[in-house]
Structure formats: C-alpha cells, structure tokens
Amino acid sequence: RSYGFDDQNQTRMEGIDTTEATSANAGYFDFGSFEEFQVGGAGADASAFAGGAVLSISVKSGSDKLSGNWYSDFQNKSFISNNVPDFLQTANTKNSEGFFTRTPLQRGNQIKKQYDLNGNIGGPLWRGKAWAFYSYRLNDQYKYTLGLPSNIERSKLSNLYTFKTTFQLTRNNQLIGFINKRQKLQDKRGISLTTPLSAAYYQSSENTPMKAEWTSVLGSRAFLDVIVGNWWNFFPLRPVRDFDLYDGPWGPGRQDLSTGQLYDGGANNGYQDQKRWKPQAYVSLSYFKDGWAGSHDFKIGYDIKRDRRSLFRDQPFDIFYRDNNGAISQVDLYNTPNAGINDVNYQAGWVQDNWKLNQRLTINLGLRYEAYQDGWPD
C-alpha cells in the first residue's frame, strides 16, 4: 500500500514490465539469481509507469571469473510444532489466568514436506568479451488440508532457467540478452471443506519475461539505453477430472449461497484458459551536466507496449446452480466455448532531472505524459 491505495503497483525485472493487470506480480521468483532489488513508493522518478509501489529487480551477470552458489532447505511435519494450547482448542475452557475462547482454535494446514533447491553459475564465454549466467530454482510443497486427512495438495514452483548473456561489442557498446521461465503446478487448487475434489481446479501455469538490451556510452556525459522485450503469462484452471485426479460421478455444479458449500460430484464455475502477452520497448537517453547551479542528471525516455489478454471460458455442462437453503435461487447459463480478447495499447514520453544543488539538497523534477487505447476485437 503506497500513498493510501494498494492498486497501480508495478514490478520490473531487468527493466521488463511483468505486472499482471494493474497491481499483481505474476510468477514466483528465483531469488538466487538476484543481484539487487529496489522497493519504493516515494521518490519514484518520471520513468515509473504507475503511481503505487515499485519493485525493480536486477539479475546477476557472468564475469571473467567462474563462480556460483547453491542454496537448499527442507522441512517435513516432524519439524513443525503445534503452538495452540489445549485450553484454546475447546470452547469456554479457562486457563489459570482466566483466558478462554468462545470459538475453538486449531492449527493451520500442516505440510507433509517442502524443499527448496536453488543454484546458479556464471562465467566467461570469451574472456573480456562475452559472459553468461544461469540459475535454477525448485520450491516443492505437499500440504494437508484440515478436515480432509486423506488429501495432499501439491504446490510446485519452478524456475526452470534464468539465463543472462552479456556481450561487449566495442569499448562503448554492450548487448544483453535475458530470459526467465517460471512455472507453477497446483494439482488441487481451492480444495477445502466447502470445495470438494470434484470442484477443485488443476493449475499448470507459466510466465516468461525476456529482453534484448543495447547500451551505449556516448562520450563522457551521455548514455543511451534501448530495451526490446516481451512477457507472457499463461494461467489455466482446468477440471481435476481431466488429469485423472477424480473419477467419481460428475455433473453440473451447485453452490449453496448460505454456506458457500459446493456440491460433491459437481463442477466448479471458474474454468478458464487465460493468456497474456505484453510486447514492450523502452528508449532512454541520460546526460550529465555540472556547473548549472549544482549538478544535473537529465534523462529523456519513450515507452511503448501492448497488453493483450485472451480469456477462454468454458463450462462442461453450460449451467451452474446457486441454491439458498436447499432451494434453487439462481441459475448461471453459459455459451461454451467462448474466448474474449482485450488489448491495452500504451505509449509514454517522459523527462527527468535529478538536480543536486549541494550536499544536503537534491530536487527530483519530472514530467510524464501517457496515452492509453483500450480495445475489444469483435
């Protein structure tokens, strides 16, 4: 939450906009690949494309020296204690100091096991000219669900590769390539006491940021940076029945509005195959000037991108029932299959001056102009 609101946040990875919709970060990070990251709200300059919180991440690069590191952790249920005392697990049972609860408490969902494997290596392809960096991460969790002792839900978060190459073309020109492939497997998403296995979702999603970047030193005062990138995010939610996780009777879904309970043996109502593509490009020119009532770090930039979402929605039975205390209250009718596409085409121009008057005072001046065009093809 920044400046009193929690929307309009932005996430940038290696300069690429990986923000999903207007506030979310899509995907799970390969922390071992990070060189540095910045989190901010106040102080964002005119290059920021949103008014909320800003997360900016830089990934490690290879060097002339071969190096790497490895991180792992592991835990299972034998490592986890229960910190809910006995008197709080029953209603209206006072302890020696007179404290009690009217609603019995219990421990949260317990994991069966979880492990995190994260390793990377970087070094020269051609000493003094070209370098490469590679990183891998797997975070795999198996979790129990309270009240469903036989159920184990898996949440597998993978960064199959974070790959970055750097080429020194000339003394003043450098070319950088980057790609990061992130996947998530959640085989029984949403399962709970009110969502039976028949209505759980099977999620196998993927998102990939990538870029090519050219940097050029234009003399002792000017610096040019050009980024051409893309980011795609595929987010399906499918019936678990399609993946042999449920083989019982299956029919139209129903939900009791008074309890939120979904019918055991029925479908859910939110199946989808959502895809996002965000091709993008950024050009910025920096110029440093001293002696004008202090020092000035001028920047001028231009951004262009298109955010396209394709949302395929389907309902296996083209109908979903909503009951109220056991009686039909509402009926949802579907026209399966259908897919809608919406585009946001975006351009922005900006100028920035970090004006350092003296050792105690720096003024951050900026102006940004943005233009959006939304569209829905037929």
Side-chain angles (χ1 to χ4, degrees):
R1 184 179 295 273
S2 181
Y3 301 118
F5 63 95
D6 56 7
D7 205 352
Q8 299 300 320
N9 302 319
Q10 57 178 292
T11 302
R12 282 191 174 185
M13 191 165 192
E14 280 290 305
I16 310 161
D17 177 13
T18 60
T19 312
E20 183 177 10
T22 60
S23 62
N25 168 67
Y28 296 85
F29 290 125
D30 175 3
F31 293 108
S33 71
F34 289 3
E35 178 71 27
E36 65 177 19
F37 66 92
Q38 298 175 337
V39 182
D45 62 23
S47 66
F49 54 81
V54 180
L55 175 62
S56 182
I57 300 166
S58 298
V59 170
K60 297 175 183 177
S61 301
S63 67
D64 278 341
K65 181 181 179 181
L66 184 66
S67 63
N69 63 64
W70 181 270
Y71 168 84
S72 294
D73 62 49
F74 171 81
Q75 62 177 333
N76 59 25
K77 58 184 180 181
S78 64
F79 286 81
I80 303 172
S81 64
N82 184 356
N83 66 350
V84 182
D86 293 341
F87 80 95
L88 292 180
Q89 297 183 32
T90 58
N92 303 312
T93 302
K94 295 183 180 181
N95 69 351
S96 60
E97 298 176 312
F99 293 107
F100 67 95
T101 180
R102 294 183 176 88
T103 303
L105 306 180
Q106 55 184 328
R107 66 193 305 176
N109 289 335
Q110 188 179 358
I111 67 167
K112 180 181 180 181
K113 63 178 179 179
Q114 176 172 337
Y115 56 89
D116 193 343
L117 312 175
N118 196 183
N120 59 69
I121 188 170
L125 297 175
W126 180 10
R127 291 187 184 276
K129 291 290 185 179
W131 307 270
F133 172 81
Y134 168 79
S135 183
Y136 168 85
R137 185 184 183 207
L138 172 64
N139 185 10
D140 210 356
Q141 181 191 85
Y142 298 79
K143 182 180 68 175
Y144 296 104
T145 304
L146 285 174
L148 302 175
S150 63
N151 178 70
I152 299 176
E153 181 184 357
R154 187 182 189 188
S155 182
K156 179 184 179 184
L157 311 176
S158 306
N159 279 259
L160 296 182
Y161 50 81
T162 303
F163 191 61
K164 184 177 179 180
T165 55
T166 308
F167 301 92
Q168 194 69 40
L169 302 176
T170 65
R171 180 181 177 183
N172 292 338
N173 291 274
Q174 194 174 76
L175 185 64
I176 302 168
F178 168 80
I179 187 169
N180 171 218
K181 186 171 185 177
R182 303 182 278 189
Q183 294 180 330
K184 178 179 181 180
L185 172 63
Q186 194 168 355
D187 60 351
K188 302 168 189 171
R189 181 180 175 126
I191 192 170
S192 68
L193 293 179
T194 58
T195 303
L197 180 59
S198 67
Y201 298 113
Y202 186 93
Q203 177 189 349
S204 180
S205 56
E206 173 186 329
N207 79 91
T208 305
M210 65 189 76
K211 75 167 183 182
E213 181 177 10
W214 169 47
T215 64
S216 182
V217 178
L218 307 176
S220 61
R221 296 181 180 272
F223 181 80
L224 176 67
D225 186 24
V226 180
I227 297 177
V228 177
N230 202 346
W231 171 77
W232 61 65
N233 180 31
F234 302 153
F235 182 29
L237 295 174
R238 309 308 306 157
V240 296
R241 186 174 181 271
D242 294 352
F243 299 89
D244 299 325
L245 296 175
Y246 174 77
D247 59 2
W250 206 47
R254 327 179 61 101
Q255 184 177 35
D256 193 299
L257 297 176
S258 61
T259 64
Q261 181 70 48
L262 287 163
Y263 170 64
D264 190 1
N268 213 315
N269 70 326
Y271 301 117
Q272 67 172 35
D273 189 6
Q274 178 178 259
K275 294 181 171 68
R276 285 182 179 270
W277 300 269
K278 192 183 291 188
Q280 52 198 278
Y282 308 95
V283 180
S284 64
L285 178 64
S286 303
Y287 181 78
F288 180 79
K289 178 64 178 177
D290 204 357
W292 290 355
S295 63
H296 297 262
D297 186 3
F298 297 105
K299 291 183 180 180
I300 183 171
Y302 171 73
D303 305 349
I304 184 171
K305 57 190 169 186
R306 185 208 69 200
D307 191 347
R308 167 169 289 181
R309 184 181 75 154
S310 170
L311 181 59
F312 173 84
R313 291 295 305 272
D314 59 334
Q315 173 55 257
F317 304 96
D318 273 343
I319 195 167
F320 186 85
Y321 298 95
R322 301 179 187 274
D323 299 345
N324 198 350
N325 293 317
I328 295 177
S329 174
Q330 302 169 11
V331 175
D332 299 347
L333 299 177
Y334 292 76
N335 180 24
T336 298
N338 64 78
I341 294 177
N342 64 278
D343 285 338
V344 179
N345 291 290
Y346 164 93
Q347 297 185 65
W350 53 274
V351 293
Q352 173 73 33
D353 179 17
N354 286 334
W355 178 15
K356 186 175 181 179
L357 282 83
N358 52 52
Q359 293 296 325
R360 295 179 176 270
L361 180 61
T362 299
I363 299 177
N364 184 351
L365 300 173
L367 179 65
R368 184 178 182 89
Y369 175 80
E370 299 182 345
Y372 292 84
Q373 184 178 22
D374 299 348
W376 293 264
D378 290 345

